[in-house]
Amino acid sequence: MNLMLDIPMTRLGLSQNGQESYKADYWELSDLTLGGKWRFDLKRGRGTKRHQSLSLGVHLPTGVTDRRDRTGTLLEPHMQPGTGGFGMVFGYSFTKSTLRTATWASIEYEHAFDQSRFTHGDHLEGSVSYGWWLKNPDTLDTWGANWAWGVYGEWAGNDSHFGATDLDSGGYMGGVHTTFIVKKSRHEFKAGVMVPLIRHVNGTQLS
């Protein structure tokens, strides 16, 4: 079991009719996530390794919810760094590596508990990747490099304001990605690019 702490930072910059001074521009701490990851399946064979993991986390309402723009107007709830409420996140991941290739798959689901003022919609994202070892890490002390290709998708449900569904929120997106991975022992460095192929937003939203 591994414990995890996610500390996100949010930057928001908005303008109206090109007047940058009209809206907000700030960096702020968002909601923290405290959780754990359990590797429930680990198998090693000659030239192969496979493991599966489950993760569970809790979103804590640590981000502020009263940010205002430069005119003093309170920003809309979905533009605030924090949600003002608790939430949960659940994930699953699968990895299989051989002497020549590696496969990764993951899925993550987020849910915010109902709030009287504003509640984020559910969020689901998943990814599947397949890569080739350019240099296989034969032992824990040697480094390896992998070039992977895959698909990615995410879906966001409708938010709610004061118990009413916001039809101008949520949507979905899907695309392909490529990632270059360098690893040694327990350390990994990843650099990748994702190209969206399909995208849909519900109602009218800011682009």
Side-chain angles (χ1 to χ4, degrees):
M1 172 72 76
N2 296 322
L3 295 180
M4 300 181 297
L5 177 62
D6 185 22
I7 307 176
M9 296 294 294
T10 297
R11 181 187 183 275
L12 178 63
L14 296 173
S15 63
Q16 187 176 51
N17 298 326
Q19 299 175 5
E20 189 65 35
S21 61
Y22 181 81
K23 287 290 186 180
D25 189 353
Y26 63 84
W27 285 91
E28 196 76 64
L29 177 70
S30 299
D31 293 347
L32 300 180
T33 301
L34 179 64
K37 187 175 184 180
W38 172 46
R39 183 176 294 178
F40 66 91
D41 175 46
L42 176 59
K43 293 185 178 180
R44 298 177 183 270
R46 188 170 183 178
T48 64
K49 181 175 69 173
R50 185 191 77 187
H51 64 80
Q52 301 179 76
S53 301
L54 293 175
S55 59
L56 180 65
V58 177
H59 294 311
L60 305 176
T62 54
V64 300
T65 59
D66 57 356
R67 264 293 185 177
R68 298 176 180 271
D69 64 23
R70 294 176 181 176
T71 68
T73 302
L74 185 68
L75 294 175
E76 296 181 22
H78 70 276
M79 296 181 182
Q80 296 288 347
T83 62
F86 290 89
M88 57 84 67
V89 56
F90 174 79
Y92 165 81
S93 63
F94 169 88
T95 300
K96 182 179 180 181
S97 179
T98 68
L99 294 177
R100 294 186 177 182
T101 63
T103 305
W104 298 270
S106 65
I107 188 169
E108 186 175 86
Y109 168 73
E110 293 184 69
H111 174 76
F113 299 114
D114 289 341
Q115 304 295 313
S116 58
R117 180 168 174 246
F118 173 77
T119 305
H120 276 292
D122 291 354
H123 182 260
L124 180 69
E125 65 176 292
S127 176
V128 177
S129 303
Y130 185 84
W132 294 263
W133 289 110
L134 306 177
K135 182 183 184 304
N136 194 296
D138 301 322
T139 66
L140 290 176
D141 297 327
T142 60
W143 65 275
N146 190 290
W147 189 15
W149 292 78
V151 294
Y152 171 85
E154 68 173 298
W155 166 86
N158 294 111
D159 301 333
S160 64
H161 293 261
F162 299 99
T165 300
D166 180 7
L167 299 180
D168 295 326
S169 63
Y172 59 83
M173 184 269 291
V176 296
H177 62 84
T178 181
T179 307
F180 182 71
I181 305 167
V182 177
K183 65 177 300 181
K184 182 178 181 181
S185 184
R186 298 179 181 271
H187 306 288
E188 282 189 355
F189 169 80
K190 297 181 180 181
V193 176
M194 199 278 288
V195 179
L197 299 179
I198 57 172
R199 185 180 182 186
H200 170 78
V201 294
N202 301 327
T204 302
Q205 302 183 38
L206 292 173
S207 58

